[in-house]
Amino acid sequence: MKHENTYKNVFLWLVAIVAINLLAANFFERIDLTRDQRYTLSPAAMEIVSDTDSPIVIEVFLEGNFPSEFRRLRNETRQMLEEFSAYNSNIKFTFTNPLEESKDAEATAQEFYQQGMPPARVSVQENGKSSEALVFPWAVATMGDQKVQIPLLKNKLGATDEERVSSSVQQLEYAIANALNKLVYPRKKKIAVMRGNGELPDAQIASFIKTLQEYYFMAPFTLDSAAINPQKTLQQLKEYDLIIEAKPTEAFTENEKYILDQYTMSGGKSLWLTEAVAMETDSLLNPSGIAFALPRDLNLGDFFFSYGIRINPVLINDIYSAPIILASGQGNNTRFNPYPWFYSPLTTSPNDHPIINNIEAVKFEYANQIDTLQNNIEKTILLSSSPQTRVEGTPREISLEMVSQEPNLASYKDGEQPLAVLLEGEFTSVYKNRIKPFEIEKPLDQSEETKMLVISDGDVIKNEVQRGKPLELGLERYTGNTYGNKEFLLNAVNYMLDDSGLIDIRSKEINIAFLDDRKTADEREKWQMINIVLPLVILGLFAFGFNYFRKRKYLK
């Protein structure tokens, strides 16, 4: 009888253990005790994770012996991936040290660079000593034959390594969710790249278009047939979810404007990169080094005015700006040197809108001032010049000799000037109560809810071309600086096409605490004594006290 009870108890315990494990595997709850909810996935990320029904393997190259700041980034990456993997076992990850089996670190770095994953050289002060380390802050997510690269380290101009890592940790969830989004969801929406009004050539917008192709269907679209069959052109344009006008230089006809207006009235979104002043840096490369900035009339004044903005034919001269690169010497002795150039504003953001949250400075060239007007459209100034700005009228002579002139700071008193404005709401037609350029069946005077982004500089989308090949948008090839142009434009398109779930992840604020290197070096011995010697002393006192009281007890 006794044995029967024992077997019964063992059996019940086994059943209970199995039941608890089954329940724990299917009904579990993760508790995030961090103040900023760092390890709690956003709803958009959870939706992507729940829709992942095929195995995805993420290989992270952030492994090895590198400075403490980057060990923090590695640990945060691992914890974030564990969070993704916990909710879907199809998501797996590994950490690899690219230099573990390689004897030539430079060759490995070059291999990564050719794959579009440049390594980072970091200089770190540790224990009072200076060192340089090669770090590969990248991961690759693979699903079947598809591969997506994941950048883990954000570069910010002038930022310290701690600030870069802090910014990178803040974007980890977005970076991983964005990669999974590309793998899990097929492309659906269509974008038209407008042609026919002197827009930038394909080679100069190739970098951004290639990036957009990972998310959307892309196609060129010309308004040339607007003069012959505008109704058909309008119907064809309505098939696209968004249009991109990349620096038009030829004036729009009334037919073309009416097509674009009715496209907006039907809910179409648009990204305008347009200028009211004609001026190019290339035009300065002549023997005199002089060119003239002239007003450019695109016949779009009433178009934008009706929607609530005005692009003024003036130039923004900003103390906070990117340098101009000029060559000196000849032949093999040619050197490329940076000089101050106040017509290339590095724009900052006056708000924390998801489009511009935590991005690098966006570089403009010969940007114009945007006025916002009163109407029912909600306007958000996404980017503006610095407080030390001077607005210059045109026509105006621009000379390369300006690089050697000391700026008169007292003249920079015009304050921040809007350079990129987001319009949201129900737009009123430009042609309401006006004679229409051509007849259509059901002209619309009021739009449904839609969005339009107007940027007063077409060069924001323009990438450099080297030996016939387009470089990354935002990369300055002579200085190696990378500006936030591509990230800004990609966020803008994602936002306007209602991929706002991913954009919301970007707004997540995470506070990372770092050690003070100088203080830790100065107080190293003190904390070693506290952590190593003090516990031994306490243990010795306990042993002595225990023996002492034990002897007293048994002597009695």
Side-chain angles (χ1 to χ4, degrees):
M1 187 68 184
K2 185 177 180 181
H3 287 297
E4 286 181 2
N5 288 334
T6 302
Y7 292 144
K8 185 178 179 182
N9 288 334
V10 170
F11 176 75
L12 290 175
W13 274 108
L14 286 174
V15 170
I17 291 171
V18 171
I20 290 171
N21 276 278
L22 286 174
L23 289 172
N26 293 284
F27 305 98
F28 68 97
E29 187 69 32
R30 297 172 71 82
I31 301 174
D32 187 351
L33 299 179
T34 56
R35 184 173 55 183
D36 47 20
Q37 295 296 291
R38 186 183 311 173
Y39 305 115
T40 300
L41 295 184
S42 305
M46 287 294 294
E47 184 178 346
I48 296 171
V49 170
S50 62
D51 289 344
T52 303
D53 51 12
S54 298
I56 294 178
V57 178
I58 301 175
E59 184 178 12
V60 184
F61 301 106
L62 198 60
E63 186 63 274
N65 184 22
F66 36 66
S68 58
E69 289 89 344
F70 292 87
R71 289 199 296 272
R72 170 65 68 89
L73 179 59
R74 177 196 60 193
N75 296 339
E76 294 286 345
T77 303
R78 185 185 297 277
Q79 289 167 347
M80 183 56 69
L81 286 172
E82 286 174 350
E83 195 67 19
F84 275 87
S85 184
Y87 288 102
N88 192 326
S89 58
N90 281 321
I91 301 173
K92 302 182 184 303
F93 63 90
T94 60
F95 277 72
T96 304
N97 180 4
L99 301 178
E100 188 174 14
E101 298 180 356
S102 173
K103 295 181 180 178
D104 190 344
E106 290 301 325
T108 304
Q110 187 63 25
E111 185 180 339
F112 269 74
Y113 186 84
Q114 290 174 350
Q115 294 177 12
M117 299 188 292
R121 296 179 186 278
V122 293
S123 178
V124 177
Q125 297 288 333
E126 198 167 24
N127 297 332
K129 296 180 180 179
S130 177
S131 62
E132 184 178 90
L134 200 59
V135 180
F136 298 86
W138 290 89
V140 174
T142 305
M143 186 177 78
D145 297 333
Q146 300 182 71
K147 289 189 176 182
V148 174
Q149 297 171 349
I150 306 174
L152 300 176
L153 179 66
K154 286 183 65 67
N155 293 312
K156 300 195 77 170
L157 292 174
T160 64
D161 285 340
E162 290 182 358
E163 291 169 338
R164 292 166 70 192
V165 169
S166 177
S167 174
S168 304
V169 169
Q170 193 156 306
Q171 293 294 296
L172 270 179
E173 184 184 353
Y174 171 77
I176 297 169
N178 186 40
L180 297 180
N181 181 65
K182 292 178 184 176
L183 293 172
V184 173
Y185 299 125
R187 292 176 296 173
K188 292 181 179 176
K189 296 180 178 174
K190 297 194 294 184
I191 296 177
V193 182
M194 304 305 289
R195 287 285 178 259
N197 289 85
E199 288 87 354
L200 288 172
D202 293 345
Q204 293 183 336
I205 59 174
S207 175
F208 183 56
I209 298 302
K210 183 180 177 183
T211 301
L212 283 184
Q213 285 175 332
E214 297 175 4
Y215 301 84
Y216 310 105
F217 291 108
M218 307 290 297
F221 191 94
T222 177
L223 294 175
D224 289 347
S225 58
I228 303 171
N229 193 347
Q231 294 84 358
K232 183 180 178 181
T233 306
L234 174 59
Q235 288 304 317
Q236 292 174 336
L237 188 59
K238 285 181 179 178
E239 295 176 6
Y240 293 88
D241 300 285
L242 181 139
I243 63 171
I244 297 177
E245 271 288 0
K247 197 177 181 178
T249 56
E250 298 174 9
F252 287 76
T253 66
E254 291 300 319
N255 277 12
E256 291 170 341
K257 280 198 303 183
Y258 190 44
I259 289 173
L260 295 170
D261 174 75
Q262 289 301 297
Y263 169 76
T264 303
M265 294 306 108
S266 61
K269 282 90 172 179
S270 50
L271 171 60
W272 285 85
L273 298 108
T274 183
E275 304 171 348
V277 174
M279 178 62 205
E280 302 291 338
T281 298
D282 289 348
S283 59
L284 291 167
L285 305 180
N286 58 61
S288 66
I290 296 175
F292 287 89
L294 301 170
R296 171 184 282 152
D297 184 12
L298 296 174
N299 193 27
L300 292 174
D302 59 340
F303 185 80
F304 289 128
F305 188 87
S306 296
Y307 299 153
I309 62 166
R310 178 172 51 214
I311 303 176
N312 296 317
V314 297
L315 288 178
I316 299 298
N317 189 319
D318 191 347
I319 289 291
Y320 183 63
S321 55
I324 188 173
I325 309 299
L326 299 177
S328 61
Q330 293 182 341
N332 295 331
N333 295 322
T334 303
R335 294 180 180 277
F336 296 91
N337 300 310
Y339 296 91
W341 191 245
F342 305 132
Y343 292 108
S344 297
L346 290 179
T347 57
T348 56
S349 167
N351 62 51
D352 56 356
H353 193 280
I355 292 179
I356 38 81
N357 181 44
N358 201 24
I359 67 170
E360 299 167 42
V362 177
K363 181 186 175 186
F364 282 63
E365 288 185 7
Y366 310 105
N368 312 140
Q369 174 195 53
I370 299 179
D371 282 342
T372 55
L373 312 172
Q374 288 289 337
N375 65 3
N376 61 333
I377 300 295
E378 179 185 351
K379 304 173 191 69
T380 306
I381 298 173
L382 296 178
L383 295 174
S384 63
S385 61
S386 78
Q388 288 186 295
T389 294
R390 185 173 69 201
V391 177
E392 297 179 348
T394 57
R396 181 176 181 80
E397 180 183 288
I398 307 289
S399 170
L400 284 180
E401 290 186 359
M402 293 176 174
V403 301
S404 58
Q405 298 171 357
E406 284 293 326
N408 178 12
L409 297 180
S411 65
Y412 288 81
K413 57 183 180 182
D414 293 325
E416 298 180 6
Q417 300 296 321
L419 303 180
V421 180
L422 176 68
L423 309 176
E424 298 175 275
E426 296 178 356
F427 290 61
T428 301
S429 171
V430 180
Y431 291 89
K432 182 181 181 181
N433 302 323
R434 287 174 55 180
I435 298 175
K436 277 56 172 181
F438 58 87
E439 295 295 329
I440 57 177
E441 283 189 12
K442 296 179 180 178
L444 300 173
D445 290 335
Q446 196 73 25
S447 80
E448 52 189 90
E449 284 282 338
T450 189
K451 302 182 180 76
M452 175 184 290
L453 174 59
V454 180
I455 303 169
S456 63
D457 177 20
D459 296 310
V460 170
I461 198 175
K462 179 180 172 184
N463 59 258
E464 292 189 35
V465 179
Q466 185 177 30
R467 297 176 183 173
K469 294 184 178 179
L471 302 181
E472 282 293 304
L473 175 59
L475 173 66
E476 166 56 61
R477 58 175 159 167
Y478 293 113
T479 63
N481 291 334
T482 301
Y483 304 104
N485 296 41
K486 179 187 281 189
E487 196 173 8
F488 165 61
L489 293 175
L490 178 60
N491 290 346
V493 172
N494 286 161
Y495 180 84
M496 288 195 289
L497 288 180
D498 296 327
D499 290 338
S500 52
L502 279 176
I503 296 296
D504 288 342
I505 300 176
R506 292 182 57 84
S507 306
K508 198 170 181 178
E509 294 286 343
I510 294 175
N511 299 314
I512 306 295
F514 289 95
L515 294 175
D516 185 329
D517 289 334
R518 181 174 294 180
K519 192 173 182 180
T520 52
D522 292 342
E523 300 182 3
R524 182 182 179 187
E525 293 180 357
K526 168 188 168 185
W527 290 105
Q528 283 179 332
M529 294 288 288
I530 292 174
N531 285 291
I532 298 174
V533 178
L534 183 61
L536 294 175
V537 171
I538 294 173
L539 185 62
L541 290 174
F542 175 77
F544 175 79
F546 178 78
N547 284 325
Y548 174 76
F549 288 108
R550 182 167 173 272
K551 284 181 179 178
R552 285 192 61 185
K553 177 179 178 182
Y554 287 101
L555 280 175
K556 291 178 180 176

